[in-house]
Amino acid sequence: MVSRMKFTFDSYKNLISKILQKGYTLTNYSDYQKHEMPCILRHDVDMDLQMAEKFAKFETDNNIKSTYYILLSSELYNVCSKRSTESISNILGGGHSIGLHFDEVKYDRQLEKCESIEEKIEMIKKYINNEVQILSMLIGHEVSTVSMHRPSRFVLEADIQMPCIINSYSKRFFEDFKYISDSKMHWREDVEQIVEGREYKALHILTHPFWYYKENKNIDLCMNEWFSMKSDSIYDTMKEVLL
């Protein structure tokens, strides 16, 4: 199936309207069991925090609440910067949740030294815990959920469970929910058709704010506009430092 849904703010708003019209309730990873037909909205912030902030404001203005997953070790944005902390504060202020987007690749060297599967899982848990604590401290708000950034088959199959941290990649959120994603600007299934059909009693929808604009764009246009925007931003920062 190929989705005809466009990557625009209005198309996303229409999708949420359909979800509500079909009897689903927008909820989160901790409260979903309270609802007969829960729908969890999740956003992975892979590229740009400011674009996530704009998307969050759009959601807030339309009474939509979701969870934004932030990388602590991104090569593309700095969680510690003033601008980033302001963006995160604004996302939280809009009623959304912040979770940790965990990149296991960062720890490849350490994980390669593990002598057993059990030791490897425990080490991953340790690093997740460490990053959750750091992110919580940086944003001044408790972080209690984690999503995996491009998870390996090992991590997916391990079904990692932790006492105080909810893993959005737990099997329950894939077996008990219908999981749908727009990864790489491509819906692998027709999300609107799935919602319309009401075949599934629970939905788990992942979107990436980076792809959404007022007007529909292809992946090349999205990337080119972002590169242009980042170039201007870097230039302005350099002027402040050097002049």
Side-chain angles (χ1 to χ4, degrees):
M1 291 185 289
V2 178
S3 173
R4 296 179 180 177
M5 177 177 162
K6 295 180 180 179
F7 285 84
T8 65
F9 289 111
D10 284 343
S11 293
Y12 179 76
K13 180 181 177 181
N14 290 336
L15 173 65
I16 302 303
S17 295
K18 287 181 181 180
I19 289 170
L20 297 174
Q21 289 168 7
K22 291 299 177 178
Y24 294 97
T25 301
L26 301 183
T27 183
N28 55 43
Y29 291 97
S30 57
D31 291 339
Y32 72 91
Q33 292 175 316
K34 299 177 182 178
H35 307 286
E36 184 178 351
M37 294 180 68
C39 175
I40 298 175
L41 301 177
R42 162 186 147 205
H43 307 300
D44 287 352
V45 185
D46 294 340
M47 303 281 286
D48 193 283
L49 261 173
Q50 280 69 60
M51 293 183 72
E53 179 187 1
K54 290 178 182 178
F55 198 84
K57 184 180 186 308
F58 175 81
E59 285 191 315
T60 299
D61 290 345
N62 288 279
N63 199 33
I64 301 167
K65 299 294 184 290
S66 55
T67 303
Y68 286 76
Y69 285 98
I70 296 174
L71 285 162
L72 197 62
S73 55
S74 172
E75 299 286 351
L76 299 172
Y77 60 84
N78 176 12
V79 179
C80 296
S81 73
K82 182 176 183 294
R83 184 69 186 89
S84 291
T85 54
E86 287 174 351
S87 292
I88 295 171
S89 178
N90 288 335
I91 292 171
L92 286 168
H96 306 287
S97 301
I98 296 292
L100 171 70
H101 203 24
F102 180 76
D103 188 0
E104 65 185 271
V105 174
K106 176 183 176 183
Y107 303 102
D108 274 352
R109 289 187 180 181
Q110 295 92 324
L111 295 173
E112 286 172 359
K113 298 176 183 177
C114 295
E115 297 180 355
S116 67
I117 291 175
E118 291 75 18
E119 183 184 356
K120 188 173 182 179
I121 290 174
E122 288 306 309
M123 186 167 286
I124 290 172
K125 288 181 180 181
K126 182 186 78 171
Y127 290 132
I128 290 173
N129 263 313
N130 289 346
E131 290 202 9
V132 162
Q133 291 178 29
I134 293 169
L135 184 58
S136 297
M137 179 188 66
L138 287 173
I139 69 175
H141 196 277
E142 182 181 1
V143 174
S144 59
T145 63
V146 60
S147 78
M148 306 304 177
H149 181 57
R150 294 179 294 187
S152 64
R153 180 176 294 276
F154 172 81
V155 167
L156 288 176
E157 293 178 350
D159 192 28
I160 294 172
Q161 303 293 328
M162 304 176 71
C164 300
I165 302 171
I166 298 172
N167 177 10
S168 68
Y169 273 91
S170 296
K171 287 183 179 178
R172 56 180 156 160
F173 295 119
F174 287 82
E175 294 178 353
D176 299 337
F177 286 71
K178 176 59 180 177
Y179 176 74
I180 324 161
S181 168
D182 70 351
S183 294
K184 298 181 181 178
M185 208 177 188
H186 173 64
W187 291 100
R188 286 159 180 78
E189 297 180 82
D190 189 330
V191 61
E192 293 177 313
Q193 190 175 87
I194 287 170
V195 172
E196 291 281 359
R198 293 183 84 250
E199 176 183 353
Y200 303 96
K201 293 295 183 181
L203 301 177
H204 183 190
I205 301 177
L206 165 62
T207 54
H208 296 76
F210 186 81
W211 304 124
Y212 292 82
Y213 289 81
K214 288 184 178 181
E215 298 179 355
N216 196 49
K217 303 178 187 295
N218 60 33
I219 194 167
D220 289 332
L221 276 174
C222 288
M223 294 300 294
N224 287 337
E225 288 202 12
W226 182 75
F227 282 128
S228 177
M229 179 185 69
K230 292 301 288 185
S231 295
D232 291 343
S233 176
I234 292 171
Y235 179 74
D236 289 340
T237 300
M238 291 299 293
K239 280 204 306 183
E240 289 180 9
V241 172
L242 297 174
L243 301 180

